[in-house]
Amino acid sequence: MRTLLLVLLLLPITINAQQLSIDAMIERDMASMLSTYKMLHAAPELSHREEKTASFFAGELRKLGYTVTERIGKFDNAEWTGYGVVAVMKNGTGPTVLVRTELDALPVDEKTGLPYASKVRTKNDAGVEVSVMHACGHDIHMTSLLGTAKVLSELKSQWQGTLVLLAQPSEETGDGARALLRDNLYTRFPQPDFAIALHDKPELEAGKVGYTPGYAMASATSIDIKIRGIGGHGSAPETTKDPIVVASQVVLALQTIVSRENSPLDPAVVTVGSIHGGTRYNIIPDEANLQLTVRTYKEDVRKRILASIERIVKGTAMAAGIPEDRAPIVKVSEGTTSTYNDPKLLERLTPALSRALGEENVVKMPPMMASEDFGYLSLDQKIPATIIWLGASDPQKVKQSRETGVALPGLHSALFAPVPEPTLRTGVKATTATVLELMKK
Ligand SMILES: [Zn+2]
Ligand SMILES: [Zn+2]
C-alpha cells in the first residue's frame, strides 16, 4: 500500500519531467524552426512543382537519421513529377504511424506586408504568370513536422514501431494523395495502422488544437455542364432553342436537389460557380456552359446528387424542345473524398493532447463543407485517421473577431498570417504527444 502511494505520488513528477524535457527540446530548436518557417514561407511552390521544397524537406529528414525516399507520386498528366517524400524510422516492433504534411502553396498574391512575405511569381499549369503564397499554412505544417521528427528521433527510448513521415504534393489541386497511392505508397512503404495530419485553423487561437470526431470535411466534386441549343438572331427566338434560358432554368431547378430531394440530416451543397454563354446583345448562342461544385459527407448522398443533376439538366433541355442529338453534356470530374476523423482514435488522442497542452487548449470543433484529400490516405476509412486543427491566430485577435463578428483572414486569403512561434510550438507538442500516445512502450 505504501509503495503504491509512493508510485502515485511520484507519477505526476515523472510525467512533468518528461513533459519539461520535450518542452525544453522545443525551446532549444525554436530559433531554427522559425528560420526554417520563414525560409519556406518566402519560397512557396505551386502544386505539381514542389521540387525545391521537397528536396529541402528530404534533406532535413536524412540529417536526422530517417530513411528517405523522394519523387513519389504518379499523376494523370505524365508531364507532372510527383514530388512526394517518405521518411521512415524503424524502432522495433510496434504500430506503424503515418504523419502527413503538404508541400504545395497557392496562386495568391501575398498582402501581409510581413518581412518574410513571398514575392515569388511563376507560371501556372496553364502557362499564365501568377504570384505564389503559402496561404494555407502548409509551411507551418512542414516546419512543425520537421520539429517533431527531430524530437522523436531523440526520444527513441520512449516509443516503438515504425514512424512514417509523409510530405504530400499537390493537396490544393486535390490530386496529390491519389498520385501517391497510384505510385504504390502503401506497398513500397509500410502501410500505417494510424494516419494523422495537422492543419492550421485561423479561427482558433495559437496554443490550442481542435478536433472534430466523425465527418469533418466534405467530399468535393466538380461538374462541367454544356447546354447545347440552336443559335440564331436575337430578334427571332422562334427559329432557335435558346441555351441561355435553359441554363437559367437549370440553375434554379438545381436548387431543389438539396431543398427537396435530400434528407436535411445529410449535409450537402450544390453551387453553380460559373455560367458563361453568348457574345453580344442580339445573338442567341449555340451553347451555355456551367461549372458546379457538389459537397457531401456520405458517398451514397454524393452519387444520388450527381444522378439528380444529370436528370434535371437533361430533362430541362428535353422540355425546352432541344433535340436528342443536342442533349446537354454533363462531365463529372473526380474531386476529393470526404475527411472522416475516426472517433475511437480521437477518444484515445484527446486525453494525450490535453496532458501535453492543458485541457482548456484542446477544443471540439464543428465539421465544415470545405474539403481536402487526406481522406484517401485512410483507404476509405479502413485505416483509422484524423486531422487535428492547429490554432494559428493571436488569441487577442480571435477574441476581437468573435466580439465584432468580423472574420479574421481565413485560409487561402492574401492576408493569412499565422503567428509562427506559438503555432509551431503547439504543432510540435501536439504531434509529438499524438505519436507517443500511439507508439508508447
Ligand atoms: Zn488549402
Ligand atoms: Zn491546406
Side-chain angles (χ1 to χ4, degrees):
M1 186 61 196
R2 199 174 287 167
T3 340
L4 183 67
L5 199 68
L6 196 68
V7 168
L8 283 176
L9 280 171
L10 281 174
L11 205 57
I13 299 168
T14 347
I15 290 169
N16 276 340
Q18 178 192 319
Q19 185 58 46
L20 256 182
S21 80
I22 292 175
D23 286 355
M25 285 167 155
I26 296 173
E27 294 320 309
R28 176 199 63 196
D29 297 339
M30 186 49 77
S32 127
M33 278 197 275
L34 282 171
S35 76
T36 297
Y37 168 69
K38 289 173 185 173
M39 183 275 290
L40 289 170
H41 188 82
E45 292 177 298
L46 287 179
S47 314
H48 306 132
R49 45 199 79 200
E50 310 92 334
E51 185 173 7
K52 291 189 191 117
T53 310
S55 117
F56 167 78
F57 192 82
E60 292 299 296
L61 288 166
R62 236 174 238 125
K63 279 190 239 162
L64 294 171
Y66 288 79
T67 307
V68 179
T69 310
E70 291 179 70
R71 303 228 164 180
I72 305 156
K74 277 204 175 89
F75 290 102
D76 286 334
N77 183 337
E79 282 173 22
W80 293 335
T81 305
Y83 287 112
V85 178
V86 171
V88 179
M89 188 169 275
K90 288 200 166 124
N91 188 21
T93 37
T96 297
V97 174
L98 177 142
V99 190
R100 173 268 221 171
T101 177
E102 318 86 324
L103 292 163
D104 56 337
L106 287 156
V108 170
D109 191 2
E110 178 157 3
K111 300 240 163 39
T112 60
L114 289 165
Y116 51 91
S118 161
K119 294 179 184 66
V120 173
R121 285 182 69 76
T122 187
K123 288 217 164 98
N124 68 10
D125 288 341
V128 178
E129 184 155 303
V130 291
S131 298
V132 192
M133 173 187 177
H134 268 300
C136 204
H138 298 174
D139 44 0
I140 288 276
H141 311 163
M142 282 186 269
T143 313
S144 163
L145 191 52
L146 287 174
T148 306
K150 179 142 189 260
V151 170
L152 289 171
S153 71
E154 291 176 51
L155 289 180
K156 279 176 89 171
S157 61
Q158 292 184 25
W159 58 273
Q160 58 187 5
T162 302
L163 179 60
V164 180
L165 307 181
L166 169 69
Q168 181 205 309
S170 307
E171 187 281 321
E172 297 294 357
T173 42
D175 51 356
R178 267 174 294 150
L180 294 172
L181 294 171
R182 198 177 298 131
D183 205 6
N184 302 314
L185 178 70
Y186 288 158
T187 46
R188 289 171 64 193
F189 307 98
Q191 177 169 319
D193 300 304
F194 305 100
I196 309 293
L198 242 67
H199 203 296
D200 48 11
K201 197 101 175 132
E203 50 277 42
L204 188 64
E205 296 94 331
K208 294 190 178 190
V209 294
Y211 64 98
T212 308
Y215 285 108
M217 295 177 89
S219 70
T221 309
S222 303
I223 300 144
D224 285 276
I225 299 173
K226 186 183 282 300
I227 292 165
R228 301 181 295 174
I230 295 169
H233 201 287
S235 66
E238 75 281 9
T239 66
T240 71
K241 298 289 175 204
D242 188 342
I244 291 197
V245 172
V246 176
S248 309
Q249 288 173 328
V250 163
V251 172
L252 291 179
L254 290 175
Q255 308 308 313
T256 61
I257 297 176
V258 173
S259 69
R260 302 292 84 189
E261 294 183 22
N262 186 61
S263 160
L265 301 177
D266 284 325
V269 178
V270 176
T271 289
V272 181
S274 154
I275 173 164
H276 287 275
T279 51
R280 58 167 295 149
Y281 312 97
N282 57 357
I283 302 172
I284 291 169
D286 280 327
E287 60 182 53
N289 294 288
L290 307 177
Q291 290 185 314
L292 280 63
T293 186
V294 168
R295 308 290 169 116
T296 70
Y297 289 135
K298 295 180 187 160
E299 181 56 22
D300 61 327
V301 174
R302 188 182 83 97
K303 287 205 175 110
R304 216 168 45 232
I305 289 181
L306 294 181
S308 299
I309 290 173
E310 175 123 14
R311 189 195 73 236
I312 286 171
V313 170
K314 298 213 156 140
T316 309
M318 192 191 282
I322 290 174
E324 190 64 33
D325 64 341
R326 295 285 292 160
I329 300 167
V330 179
K331 190 176 144 252
V332 175
S333 309
E334 208 177 345
T336 63
T337 189
S338 54
T339 306
Y340 181 81
N341 292 335
D342 188 83
K344 278 215 176 72
L345 175 60
L346 276 173
E347 263 170 42
R348 202 175 150 186
L349 295 183
T350 44
L353 289 167
S354 292
R355 281 195 297 276
L357 303 169
E359 210 167 331
E360 69 284 7
N361 291 322
V362 181
V363 296
K364 196 171 169 182
M365 298 192 80
M368 55 186 198
M369 300 308 281
S371 66
E372 92 121 84
D373 72 351
F374 177 65
Y376 288 108
L377 298 174
S378 75
L379 303 178
D380 290 329
Q381 303 175 21
K382 277 202 268 302
I383 298 168
T386 188
I387 283 201
I388 293 165
W389 300 121
L390 177 63
S393 293
D394 181 346
Q396 207 50 40
K397 286 191 181 159
V398 175
K399 190 167 169 258
Q400 225 171 38
S401 149
R402 284 186 192 142
E403 280 166 9
T404 58
V406 180
L408 289 168
L411 296 176
H412 295 203
S413 156
L415 294 170
F416 175 55
V419 278
E421 193 172 325
T423 303
L424 289 170
R425 182 179 291 122
T426 310
V428 177
K429 266 195 209 186
T431 319
T432 305
T434 297
V435 172
L436 287 179
E437 169 60 31
L438 296 172
M439 304 183 85
K440 66 189 162 197
K441 276 194 171 166

